[in-house]
Amino acid sequence: MDSHSSPSSKKVRSPGGSSGGSNNRGSGGQTVKFARRTSSGRYVSLSRDDIEVPDEISGDYMNYTVHIPPTPDNQPMDGSVAVKAEEQYVANSLFTGGFNSVTRAHLMDKVIESEVSHPQMAGAKGSACAMPACDGKVMKDERGVDVTPCACRFKICRDCYMDAQKGTGLCPGCKEPYKMGDDYDEVPDYSSGALPLPAPDDSKGNMSVMKRNQNGEFDHNRWLFETKGTYGYGNAFMPQDGGDERNEGIQGGVIETMDKEWKPLSRKTPIPAAILSPYRLLIAIRFVVLGFFLTWRLKHKNEDAVWLWFMSVTCELWFAFSWILDQIPKLCPVNRSTDLQALWDKFDMPSPTNPTGRSDLPGVDMFVSTADPDKEPPLVTANTILSILAVDYPVDKIACYISDDGGALLTFEAMAEACSFADLWVPFCRKHDIEPRNPESYFSVKGDPTKNKSRSDFVKDRRKIKREYDEFKVRINGLPDSIRRRSDAFNAREEMKMLKHMRESGADPMEPIKVQKATWMADGTHWPGAWAVPSRDHAKGDHAGILQVMLKPPSSDVLMGGADDKIIDFTDVDIRLPMFVYMSREKRQGYDHNKKAGAMNALVRCSAILSNGPFMLNLDCDHYIYNCKAVREGMCFMMDRGGEGICYIQFPQRFEGIDPSDRYANHNTVFFDGNMRALDGVQGPVYVGTGTMFRRFALYGFDPPNPDKGHKVGSEMQNLGPSDFDPDLDINLLPKRFGNSTLLAESIPVAEFQARPLADHPAIKYGRRPGALRQPREPLDAATVAEAVSVISCWYEDKTEWGDRVGWIYGSVTEDVVTGYRMHNRGWHSVYCITKRDAFRGSAPINLTDRLHQVLRWATGSVEIFFSRNNAVLATRKLKFLQRLAYLNVGIYPFTSIFLVVYCFLPALSLLSGHFIVQTLNVAFLIYLLTISICLILLAILEVRWSGVGLEEWWRNEQFWLISGTSAHLAAVVQGLLKVIAGIEISFTLTSKSAGDENEEVYAELYLVKWTSLMIPPIVIGMMNILSIAVAFSRTVYSAIPEWSKFIGGAFFSFWVLAHLYPFAKGLMGRRGKTPTIVFVWSGLIAITLSLLWISINPPKGGTPATLNGGFIFP
């Protein structure tokens, strides 16, 4: 029979939906046929296909069911054995496929060497199949208990069960027919004793009467929502009209939230006027003074050194322009706050229509990307995954995906080990409210771990989990050797087989044996990804697509642990784990895989097929969740009034392992707490690559919804398609934009609907009905996973708009900024979410060379943006003016390096030539200079006040601005020009992540000196300024008419340059006791300068200043 198709479950798999048409189930749930239960416990089919029903009573028949409740000695069979079999098959299979190849599912009974116990995980231990000559494992339920499809309790694996069903249909144990064969269709489990009743209104067509959750139990919430039903006396249907008092306020099975006090989920707090008004006034004053100063400079040439005057004026004009681009977008900074309690009350609080408190929050797919286990240690990535699996969010609404762009078995097995350890770590975090939920960071926190812990068994549990984590680290760190030894053993076995075959076939024994040096998995089969010894179809850039559901989707109902299940007592603790998927997209030679952007787009498509979370959170492999409620904080903005127009939530980046002085401004607080907070008051912060929660629909390239033309909340939403959101999109051209996956195209309106805020306020014109997302997720099936494999193939994006309009944008090494710009350019807004406790934390390179290379990559991407169609000059009118200036600054700031390098040489040229940038230091010049400097200082103080940045942090930022501006930014301009003019591609350097060796000295990398050509310009600038000071001082001292004013003016600016280069000089010095030669050179120059100063002031005996050559008169 046909099932009702709700907006949240429209022929696609989603957090609250189902799979596509590949399996024989309705889109709203499983197809349920009516049955009559006999005294023997068997069901006799009452399907319309089996009995004749008159047309006039057909509607009544379809909407009424009676059954006899089960008795203790007469229990019905579980009707979801086939579903559980399919689900277990998917969870224990490694799927591979790609271009011109068949998608295969490799059943893995063993994923890692260590034992796996969690029932959701692939390769979990279980009973052996009782069929002769079969080594398969028995099917299990959510608790890991064996599933026996027959009353005789004959243990059988999934494959043998399917064979028996397709064959005789008899149980191999008792030789009786299975009750779920062709004669006895799947029936619902009535063990709960609840009687499902239909709605009297049949205007929407025949609706599935039985709504079951993943455990096979009747889902009352789903039935109430889809049937607009209510409960009355004795489970009898109570009509809407003429109800009693208990039915007041209930319409359509949903409590009228308008009758409640409506609370906003977030608030925007403006900066106090006492700070913001003077700040804006100072900007205006400095702007005016700059205008007068530059006018004065243009009118008063230095006739003695026109070349020096021209260079200085040109640089100053550019600096003024650059300052305007940077400063003007900061006119409207704001602060924001969230109300997590209001979020819980609205989406998670139990109610008459939701007695169990099932969450109505939308699903979130979390992405982690990694590319090279040598530069990105698997232990770091594993800890990030563990922090995600333990996040405080409804377990069944979370799906975690990792993209391994290197296709390494090391990463695969490390992730499997992480899933195995999560069996203990995640319930431990929930039981004791652990923060942070990255085990490495948690056990490294200094302080009293028992603070704010109320349970008496915390210390004992912590000691046990610490021991387990230490063993986990040993296993992770030992994986490279374990994989190598295993592969060597299997390769040696293959060589012996080949040698034996050659002897038996009579081949020449002297002929060399040709056996591929393969990399082997734990179950004794070839790894389909990249091998340690690369070969065809098994190299980093040439391997099949790989997909493994390492943790299958959890049950929608809470699954409490027990006292004896684990080494820790998890009684009354939810032991479910979120869904976790390992993905390595297909790579082939001759295809442009578009680096990280291509990997992220593959994750978007794969997740759309498997879970279709309407929101996506992407993290780098070294950025973990530091605040377990961070996802809820972001959801407060997305689910609030006006949230339908937000494309992403950007969280600030916070870093660990930075030296206390933050020598190279790695914290970058001026940008994250200043610039980004200011843009939040305009159109939103720019996307910075990690720690960002996206709206899936916005990432698909659609425009934001227009509330004035919004569709009604209700059944009308079921018929919306992609063309309803983009009038220019022809439904027949969907494959051109999104590819040829039907499931992917059908998932788009589902994701859009589920991402809407609740329509619980008259001002919300583009919302969804409360309770629409409470239905459980359908189990995965093989056809769906196979579809996910096809969308990560290397050919899928050919002749589509992926990377051009849809998903992460290609063509730049800073794909993050371009992707955010495209969404802002379509009219979307973004929000900056600063939480009281840092949302995420990661690592940053503290070594000077690594830091310069990181900045070089960012600046190179900005140069690419400037010379592309993503230049903000070409933006549409939907991009606000101040936002346009901010994006202009993103593309222009590297070019400031050209003028900055020239300006840093000007003091040296001035001292060496004996001329200054002005002919005389008159009063007007000094007043302008003093006014501009005072305004700059006051602006810095006020900016520190409203942004919360420390003065020392502000100064470190200024220092590194000059260091990077004279090194990495200059190189980026050169590389960008070479790419635009000569077509020379820019190489991408992956930033190395440290795993943190316990035996290493803290901040050891800070003192490591690694030479790079980027260091040449700052070194030359520093040397020139020191040398020019010495030369100018000597010349002034021994001149007949010393001009101290010119020397002091030039020396002042030289010291200004050298003060900014101080962190760079310390970086060159390295560790104490290993001082490079450059330090001695600099020391010698300073010593010479001081010696000349001392001789000039205190000349040797026997002579006077007047007797010295040229004479000397100290001013």
Side-chain angles (χ1 to χ4, degrees), residues 38 73 102 261 409 426 454 533 569 758 791 909 923 1020 1035 1037 1041:
T38 65
D73 59 343
V102 179
E261 180 184 359
L409 178 60
V426 173
S454 58
V533 180
D569 183 3
L758 292 185
V791 300
L909 296 175
V923 177
V1020 174
R1035 184 177 61 234
V1037 166
I1041 305 176

Side-chain angles (χ1 to χ4, degrees), residues 879-1048:
L879 192 69
K880 294 185 178 180
F881 175 72
L882 294 183
Q883 195 79 14
R884 187 187 300 265
L885 290 182
Y887 275 113
L888 275 174
N889 190 41
V890 168
I892 288 175
Y893 82 87
F895 295 95
T896 304
S897 61
I898 300 174
F899 304 92
L900 184 61
V901 169
V902 173
Y903 209 71
C904 288
F905 277 113
L906 285 182
L909 296 175
S910 175
L911 291 171
L912 292 175
S913 64
H915 300 288
F916 194 49
I917 57 176
V918 294
Q919 193 148 3
T920 57
L921 289 175
N922 57 20
V923 177
F925 175 79
L926 293 176
I927 291 177
Y928 282 131
L929 190 63
L930 181 62
T931 306
I932 292 173
S933 301
I934 291 176
C935 287
L936 178 64
I937 294 172
L938 293 177
L939 280 172
I941 293 174
L942 290 175
E943 190 168 323
V944 164
R945 289 289 304 276
W946 64 254
S947 66
V949 178
L951 274 175
E952 184 180 1
E953 294 173 319
W954 180 86
W955 172 239
R956 282 282 181 262
N957 183 79
E958 291 296 309
Q959 287 178 312
F960 193 74
W961 171 76
L962 190 140
I963 294 171
S964 59
T966 56
S967 57
H969 294 176
L970 183 63
V973 173
V974 175
Q975 287 188 358
L977 292 175
L978 287 176
K979 180 178 181 180
V980 173
I981 298 173
I984 300 175
E985 287 294 330
I986 302 163
S987 60
F988 174 78
T989 304
L990 186 66
T991 305
S992 299
K993 281 79 175 178
S994 174
D997 192 345
E998 295 178 355
N999 299 322
E1000 283 187 3
E1001 182 184 345
V1002 181
Y1003 313 127
E1005 289 189 4
L1006 182 66
Y1007 308 106
L1008 185 62
V1009 180
K1010 297 185 290 186
W1011 174 255
T1012 174
S1013 58
L1014 297 177
M1015 296 179 177
I1016 294 177
I1019 289 177
V1020 174
I1021 290 173
M1023 294 283 290
M1024 283 288 294
N1025 278 277
I1026 293 177
L1027 182 62
S1028 63
I1029 291 175
V1031 172
F1033 182 80
S1034 301
R1035 184 177 61 234
T1036 305
V1037 166
Y1038 295 107
S1039 63
I1041 305 176
E1043 299 183 71
W1044 288 101
S1045 61
K1046 292 184 178 180
F1047 170 76
I1048 292 174

Side-chain angles (χ1 to χ4, degrees), residues 617-636:
L617 176 69
N618 79 293
L619 294 171
D620 288 344
C621 65
D622 61 329
H623 270 71
Y624 67 92
I625 297 179
Y626 188 73
N627 181 354
C628 68
K629 298 184 183 295
V631 180
R632 290 183 178 270
E633 297 260 9
M635 206 58 68
C636 285

Side-chain angles (χ1 to χ4, degrees), residues 182-255:
D182 295 333
D183 294 332
Y184 303 100
D185 239 291
E186 290 190 16
V187 294
D189 183 1
Y190 297 106
S191 58
S192 63
L195 179 63
L197 293 172
D201 183 10
D202 195 34
S203 59
K204 295 183 181 179
N206 294 328
M207 184 184 300
S208 175
V209 175
M210 289 305 305
K211 301 296 178 186
R212 291 187 296 157
N213 59 20
Q214 192 169 339
N215 293 328
E217 299 172 353
F218 173 63
D219 190 339
H220 302 270
N221 302 315
R222 187 172 181 179
W223 176 81
L224 283 169
F225 168 67
E226 294 196 6
T227 63
K228 295 186 177 181
T230 56
Y231 282 114
Y233 298 108
N235 281 353
F237 178 75
M238 178 178 293
Q240 295 285 356
D241 299 330
D244 61 11
E245 295 179 357
R246 286 174 297 181
N247 199 34
E248 291 181 1
I250 299 181
Q251 295 182 7
V254 179
I255 293 180

Side-chain angles (χ1 to χ4, degrees), residues 615 637-647 695 755 757 828:
F615 296 102
F637 296 104
M638 291 294 194
M639 293 291 103
D640 203 5
R641 181 173 56 183
E644 68 276 0
I646 299 175
C647 55
R695 181 184 301 272
W828 290 94

Side-chain angles (χ1 to χ4, degrees), residues 291-300 918 920 922 924-925 928:
F292 283 112
F293 172 70
L294 294 174
T295 303
W296 184 89
R297 290 279 284 122
L298 289 171
K299 290 181 179 180
H300 295 77
V918 294
T920 57
N922 57 20
F925 175 79
Y928 282 131

